[in-house]
Amino acid sequence: MKYTHRRAKNRVLWLFLVFSFTNAFPHEPQYGLQFRAYSYEPEMRTSLDLSPDDFITFPDGFSLDFDVKFAFKEVQSYGYVFRMTDRSDHKIDLVLSDKSVSFSSSPGNIILIRDFAEVKLVPDQWMKVRLDVNREKSELKVRIGNLVQQWEVPEVRAFRDVRVVFGKNNYHETHAVDVPDMTLRDVKLEDREGVQYHWKLAKHTPDGVYDELKHRFARCEHPNWVLMQNTVWKKESTFTCGENSYIAYNPDENVIAVADRQFFYRFSLNDKQLRKRAISRGLAYPRYANQMIYNPADARYYAYNLVKEGDAREFAAFHPAAGAWAETTPHNHYSDYWHHNRYFSVRDNVLYLFGGYGHHKYKRDVFRYRVSTGEWSQHTLAGDSIEPRYLSGLGVLGDNRLLRFGGYGSESGNQELSPRHYYDAYSIDLETLSAKKIWTLDAPEENFVVSNSLVTDTANNCFYALCYPFTRYNTTVVLYRFSLTEPVAEALADTISLGFKDAGSFVDLFLDRANRQLVAVTSSGIAKDSLASISIYSLSYPPFKKEDLYQPVPVVKKTWGMREVSFAAAALIALVLLVYFGVYFVTRKPEVPEVPEEEEEEGSTGITSVKSVRKQAIFLFGGFQVIDANARDLTAWFKPLVKNLFLLILLHTIKNGKGISFRKLKEILWFDMTEENANNNRGVAMSKIRQIMKHVGEIRFLKQGVYWLIEFGTDIYCDYFEALVLMRKIKESPVVGIKDLKRLLAIVSEGELLPNIQIDWADSFKSDFSNDFIDLILPLMTRKDRRFSDALFIDMANAVFIHDRLNEDALRLKCSLLVKTGKNGLAKNTYTAFVKEYAAWFATEYKYSFDQVIG
């Protein structure tokens, strides 16, 4: 400890004024830029360049002003806060170090030495730094914290045109890689007329930040933007404990408490430490669906036992000094109230419990336990009816009013009778025990249930909930913000991965006011070991969508000379030609070779393989295949992850025209990764796709809002896209074109859509296409259209069989036509194959004989 204290006292700032005579080479959210420092490899450290394009000119002098704080978490505290240079590579450096301070130029040529050892540097405390350069008086003035030093330095006259770089410096003659563990905000450059540039370092762009006044761009490499902490969940701790552990939040000590049969765990949200102590006397009854609450009135934790009436409902206190629970009554009754909601009223000293599930029944019960009397009572809410449910969320509105939202249940309470998701919100008055519906949200694209607790923000008329699909084990938790007065919701932040096993899992949400952050707690059961994995996450408050953190690219007015005008005119012409000849993929008509209308011969199918003469093509029917401009098959170049990403974006682009969101991509491909790692993997995979597809034709990945989509040039063909266009054309045309119909049959007769892609996300595309195709073709098969030959009808039946092998309409049509054309053996073989497959699928014989099918 003494050694650490002595090192802390020696931390000082260095200010270097260096002259090199070598040739020059042409409840606002917390914000700031956190620098990657010594613990990162040099190429991954942070750089903020205020002048990436050219020097900034100040004829009379200038001031550099900013706020900075140091963490001192690194092993080494040395590094450049900033390096300022002029056109001759004279330098002014502000350096943090454990050692002494000096000014120097080239080695051995000391010009000026100054230190700021008197400045008391407090870890993680903002400090003002200001540098004034007066060229007229040859004065240099520096303020660090409350300490000001001023000198007459003739060499500062050279600083008319300046370049300012914080952290790592990549310029050849002024290169520096040592970066301190610091956070920066509100960087300003001033002259006599006032502040000219102000880089707030809050909202930003993917590769830098614009100043707030004149939109001057500053380039930033490898940043850690503080505002990103409002969009990215940070995993604070993960540990293993017993299954169905109790979880509670203690706002007095800012602690997440977890209790199992053997230990009482306490994770501090202040010092990020996990502490545990053995329990000398545990609860006599099993944990099951019961829970734990913290009572601020007496600063104690309580566990409760909620079972059927007469089965020893209890309310037991934990005694920290003894590490023991109060004595309880043993029993082994399985709970009827899994995933119920709980609220402890400090004002009334009463515990309230709502809903739950058990023994195939959803509950609407309301229980009340009065600590003062030790009495349990059961109630029914008056007012608007709240259907029986579990997995809903509960929050506090104030004035003895609660908010209950969402869940899963049924109107009757019976699990077997039409269970459904609920998206309604209710205000519950604890005085009258009555409920009033606030609104009902439209069902989302993907159903979800809700965290046990809600965080309400009545000042901003909203509340927050963790929402997640509970119908799969590997699920994804998303934070949503909901309006308190109208059914409006939006997803925020990134996602949390969760292994959900219904009764063996738990999700909760709390507000840590001391650290201005939301806290998510998840519990995932590990059934084979009777254990659970507890994870604790934090997110700075208020939360944002990631896209809300980006600055819009400013439109800067500029006066152009003749050169720029000529260039702009050429660019405009090129753009017009591009728009004329290269149309957006999902709206352009595919390039389809002209097939001359011809008379059909009886007995000839007239089907020509779509793949036989194609180059620069993407085939999805009969299997994924990519052919380049030289007719080479590039399919093997697509590794599984790259192929899945390509197909996900391709199919969503073609089907809905807007592509697929990164959130959805992460859920499917990188559900177990952080958003940053998933985004990096996405970028690498897209780069590989581009490298492959450049051999095929023109391709671009576009991001529109939160959606990724693909744009193709007209030189690339896709059978799936053409099939959808032809189906739409046939459906909407009053007269079916024979050529279009034959072309469609030729495409789909290659085989099923992506038969070798056996992944959940692909199933919806397969089933949707098969249903749409069959719904289109079946009415045509029953038409008495003289233009349709028997051979064409057989082709239609064969195509239907590819997408529905047990389609009885196709069986009747094909068998009857084969008999009609004298192919009795083929008809019988078709029937026999159908009957065998029917028996294999349904374990029963097909009810119609061959004669009945062709009759």
Side-chain angles (χ1 to χ4, degrees):
M1 290 298 295
K2 291 182 179 179
Y3 176 73
T4 303
H5 179 66
R6 183 162 54 248
R7 286 179 61 86
K9 289 177 62 177
N10 289 333
R11 289 184 177 124
V12 294
L13 284 168
W14 293 8
L15 183 69
F16 284 80
L17 180 61
V18 182
F19 294 92
S20 171
F21 299 101
T22 58
N23 292 328
F25 286 84
H27 190 141
E28 181 180 2
Q30 299 182 61
Y31 62 92
L33 174 62
Q34 187 176 4
F35 282 67
R36 295 182 176 183
Y38 184 78
S39 62
Y40 289 84
E41 295 299 326
E43 61 270 21
M44 298 302 294
R45 296 174 189 172
T46 304
S47 169
L48 176 65
D49 186 353
L50 303 187
S51 44
D53 299 323
D54 199 359
F55 288 82
I56 306 175
T57 300
F58 295 102
D60 301 319
F62 62 92
S63 298
L64 172 65
D65 186 281
F66 59 90
D67 294 339
V68 66
K69 64 179 179 180
F70 302 99
F72 299 128
K73 294 178 181 177
E74 302 280 358
V75 175
Q76 177 174 317
S77 296
Y78 179 83
Y80 290 84
V81 177
F82 72 79
R83 165 163 282 179
M84 180 183 296
T85 58
D86 66 5
R87 291 191 180 275
S88 299
D89 289 331
H90 301 147
K91 308 178 188 73
I92 298 177
D93 294 339
L94 179 61
V95 178
L96 172 71
S97 176
D98 287 338
K99 302 177 182 179
S100 60
V101 182
S102 67
F103 290 100
S104 64
S105 58
S106 57
N109 185 14
I110 304 291
I111 295 178
L112 185 64
I113 298 177
R114 291 289 186 273
D115 69 48
F116 291 83
E118 299 176 27
V119 176
K120 184 179 180 181
L121 301 179
V122 180
D124 292 318
Q125 181 172 303
W126 289 107
M127 178 177 63
K128 177 72 71 177
V129 175
R130 184 177 178 90
L131 171 72
D132 297 317
V133 175
N134 189 322
R135 297 182 64 241
E136 183 180 353
K137 297 182 178 180
S138 301
E139 289 181 351
L140 182 65
K141 181 179 179 182
V142 177
R143 173 188 173 184
I144 301 177
N146 295 321
L147 180 63
V148 179
Q149 295 194 29
Q150 181 173 331
W151 317 281
E152 183 176 340
V153 183
E155 291 82 358
V156 300
R157 293 194 185 97
F159 283 83
R160 178 181 184 275
D161 303 325
V162 297
R163 171 172 281 147
V164 183
V165 180
F166 289 85
K168 180 184 174 184
N169 191 310
N170 296 313
Y171 291 101
H172 180 70
E173 294 298 327
T174 58
H175 187 70
V177 297
D178 295 306
V179 180
D181 188 2
M182 66 178 179
T183 303
L184 198 67
R185 73 179 183 191
D186 288 317
V187 179
K188 301 174 185 177
L189 282 172
E190 306 177 24
D191 61 13
R192 290 181 177 180
E193 297 180 0
V195 178
Q196 297 300 310
Y197 307 105
H198 176 198
W199 292 272
K200 189 174 180 179
L201 305 185
K203 290 188 176 184
H204 50 273
T205 73
D207 54 356
V209 59
Y210 290 96
D211 96 274
E212 305 291 322
L213 304 178
K214 298 181 179 178
H215 308 300
R216 186 180 184 95
F217 183 71
R219 183 174 59 232
C220 188
E221 297 180 358
H222 309 298
N224 281 336
W225 297 103
V226 173
L227 265 184
M228 289 298 291
Q229 297 172 11
N230 296 66
T231 68
V232 178
W233 287 101
K234 178 184 178 183
K235 182 179 284 189
E236 300 288 2
S237 179
T238 295
F239 59 95
T240 302
C241 61
E243 64 180 345
N244 296 128
S245 298
Y246 292 168
I247 298 171
Y249 174 51
N250 175 349
D252 293 341
E253 297 180 324
N254 214 22
V255 161
I256 300 294
V258 179
D260 63 13
R261 287 185 176 278
Q262 295 180 304
F263 297 99
F264 197 96
Y265 304 83
R266 298 170 68 252
F267 179 79
S268 171
L269 295 168
N270 295 330
D271 63 16
K272 314 300 182 185
Q273 297 298 309
L274 177 66
R275 300 169 178 87
K276 74 174 184 178
R277 65 170 301 165
I279 294 177
S280 60
R281 181 175 62 225
L283 297 165
Y285 51 79
R287 324 199 81 75
Y288 292 149
N290 305 309
Q291 269 299 341
M292 176 173 68
I293 57 99
Y294 172 75
N295 183 359
D298 58 10
R300 299 174 77 176
Y301 296 96
Y302 290 89
Y304 55 86
N305 175 28
L306 183 62
V307 292
K308 294 180 180 179
E309 189 174 358
D311 288 340
R313 293 180 186 146
E314 293 179 280
F315 191 80
F318 182 73
H319 302 283
W325 289 99
E327 291 189 18
T328 52
T329 306
H331 74 80
N332 196 35
H333 299 296
Y334 197 76
S335 178
D336 271 348
Y337 298 96
W338 291 98
H339 291 291
H340 61 269
N341 296 114
R342 66 201 193 278
Y343 170 70
F344 190 82
S345 172
V346 178
R347 187 180 75 171
D348 302 327
N349 211 17
V350 171
L351 172 67
Y352 292 89
L353 307 176
F354 300 86
Y357 166 83
H359 295 97
H360 308 292
K361 298 282 187 180
Y362 306 107
K363 306 298 191 302
R364 65 176 0 131
D365 302 334
V366 178
F367 289 93
R368 187 161 58 182
Y369 177 78
R370 292 191 178 276
V371 178
S372 58
T373 62
E375 295 178 349
W376 287 91
S377 57
Q378 187 172 353
H379 305 268
T380 300
L381 290 177
D384 293 334
S385 175
I386 302 179
E387 287 85 353
R389 65 187 67 186
Y390 79 139
L391 290 169
S392 57
L394 193 71
V396 180
L397 291 174
D399 298 328
N400 227 22
R401 291 186 304 120
L402 303 180
L403 171 71
R404 193 174 181 205
F405 168 68
Y408 187 83
S410 71
E411 185 175 355
S412 66
N414 295 319
Q415 184 177 357
E416 67 274 14
L417 295 179
S418 303
R420 56 181 289 253
H421 289 80
Y422 290 100
Y423 300 104
D424 42 8
Y426 294 87
S427 171
I428 299 175
D429 190 322
L430 295 181
E431 293 283 354
T432 61
L433 282 180
S434 61
K436 181 179 180 180
K437 180 180 283 191
I438 304 173
W439 46 249
T440 298
L441 187 73
D442 290 339
E445 182 177 338
E446 184 173 27
N447 286 316
F448 60 73
V449 292
V450 187
S451 54
N452 197 263
S453 301
L454 311 173
V455 171
T456 57
D457 183 354
T458 54
N460 291 295
N461 193 42
C462 65
F463 70 92
Y464 300 91
L466 295 173
C467 304
Y468 56 97
F470 80 120
T471 54
R472 60 176 185 263
Y473 175 74
N474 290 318
T475 191
T476 303
V477 182
V478 179
L479 179 70
Y480 275 81
R481 176 168 55 216
F482 299 88
S483 167
L484 280 173
T485 55
E486 55 185 338
V488 176
E490 61 177 335
L492 306 169
D494 66 345
T495 59
I496 296 173
S497 297
L498 172 68
F500 187 79
K501 297 187 69 174
D502 202 7
S505 303
F506 193 74
V507 178
D508 219 339
L509 179 68
F510 307 105
L511 177 61
D512 171 6
R513 297 182 183 276
N515 296 303
R516 299 175 62 186
Q517 62 184 7
L518 291 171
V519 178
V521 184
T522 65
S523 174
S524 299
I526 308 174
K528 62 179 181 179
D529 299 318
S530 296
L531 298 174
S533 175
I534 305 292
S535 295
I536 301 172
Y537 302 83
S538 66
L539 179 75
S540 292
Y541 191 86
F544 297 128
K545 293 184 293 186
K546 190 171 183 179
E547 51 267 31
D548 290 342
L549 304 187
Y550 291 133
Q551 291 176 310
V553 177
V555 178
V556 181
K557 294 182 179 180
K558 181 178 179 181
T559 302
W560 288 358
M562 288 303 298
R563 179 181 178 183
E564 287 88 348
V565 170
S566 299
F567 177 79
L572 180 60
I573 293 172
L575 179 61
V576 171
L577 291 174
L578 177 63
V579 171
Y580 183 78
F581 290 108
V583 189
Y584 186 62
F585 185 75
V586 298
T587 59
R588 70 176 176 89
K589 183 176 179 179
E591 182 184 346
V592 181
E594 287 296 323
V595 179
E597 199 77 56
E598 58 185 27
E599 294 293 329
E600 294 178 340
E601 298 180 7
E602 290 294 335
S604 172
T605 64
I607 294 293
T608 302
S609 174
V610 175
K611 299 183 180 181
S612 59
V613 294
R614 268 290 174 192
K615 298 179 182 179
Q616 295 181 274
I618 303 164
F619 297 115
L620 304 186
F621 290 100
F624 174 66
Q625 190 178 18
V626 176
I627 307 298
D628 76 356
N630 297 315
R632 292 182 303 167
D633 190 336
L634 306 185
T635 309
W637 294 17
F638 286 82
K639 301 305 179 185
L641 176 62
V642 173
K643 178 170 63 177
N644 286 337
L645 176 63
F646 178 65
L647 288 173
L648 273 165
I649 301 177
L650 174 67
L651 290 170
H652 280 87
T653 300
I654 294 175
K655 187 175 181 180
N656 61 32
K658 67 179 183 180
I660 182 172
S661 68
F662 174 70
R663 186 189 302 278
K664 194 69 175 178
L665 287 174
K666 181 180 181 300
E667 288 179 9
I668 296 172
L669 301 178
W670 304 288
F671 64 87
D672 56 344
M673 292 186 183
T674 64
E675 182 158 340
E676 181 179 4
N677 289 340
N679 204 30
N680 290 337
N681 276 266
R682 190 261 321 147
V684 171
M686 282 186 177
S687 178
K688 292 179 180 178
I689 294 170
R690 293 187 190 98
Q691 291 300 312
I692 297 172
M693 292 301 294
K694 71 181 181 181
H695 300 283
V696 181
E698 183 184 353
I699 176 179
R700 287 200 309 157
F701 287 105
L702 300 178
K703 189 175 184 185
Q704 295 184 353
V706 298
Y707 292 93
W708 282 100
L709 45 84
I710 292 181
E711 185 181 64
F712 286 96
T714 55
D715 54 346
I716 296 181
Y717 168 82
C718 178
D719 57 353
Y720 176 60
F721 177 65
E722 185 186 359
L724 294 183
V725 171
L726 289 169
M727 287 168 62
R728 187 182 306 115
K729 182 178 179 182
I730 292 170
K731 183 178 180 180
E732 295 175 355
S733 176
V735 178
V736 176
I738 301 296
K739 182 173 66 175
D740 290 335
L741 180 57
K742 289 184 64 176
R743 181 68 183 175
L744 174 62
L745 295 177
I747 294 171
V748 301
S749 294
E750 295 289 347
E752 296 179 53
L753 182 68
L754 298 172
N756 299 322
I757 307 294
Q758 301 298 327
I759 305 177
D760 289 346
W761 62 260
D763 290 343
S764 64
F765 290 96
K766 297 181 183 183
S767 61
D768 287 351
F769 179 83
S770 294
N771 291 334
D772 292 343
F773 174 72
I774 293 171
D775 290 344
L776 175 71
I777 296 299
L778 285 183
L780 298 180
M781 289 167 53
T782 60
R783 275 192 187 184
K784 302 300 182 181
D785 194 323
R786 294 179 180 179
R787 298 176 305 142
F788 292 180
S789 66
D790 290 343
L792 184 57
F793 278 121
I794 291 175
D795 290 336
M796 285 191 270
N798 287 335
V800 170
F801 272 138
I802 289 175
H803 298 277
D804 181 4
R805 290 177 291 180
L806 297 178
N807 189 282
E808 296 183 53
D809 292 315
L811 176 68
R812 293 189 187 94
L813 178 65
K814 182 175 181 179
C815 288
S816 61
L817 288 175
L818 287 173
V819 169
K820 176 184 175 183
T821 56
K823 298 180 174 64
N824 297 320
L826 290 178
K828 188 65 175 177
N829 290 341
T830 299
Y831 174 80
T832 301
F834 182 94
V835 168
K836 286 182 179 180
E837 184 147 11
Y838 187 93
W841 272 93
F842 300 110
T844 186
E845 293 184 3
Y846 186 55
K847 59 184 177 180
Y848 297 110
S849 67
F850 177 72
D851 289 337
Q852 288 174 312
V853 167
I854 64 174

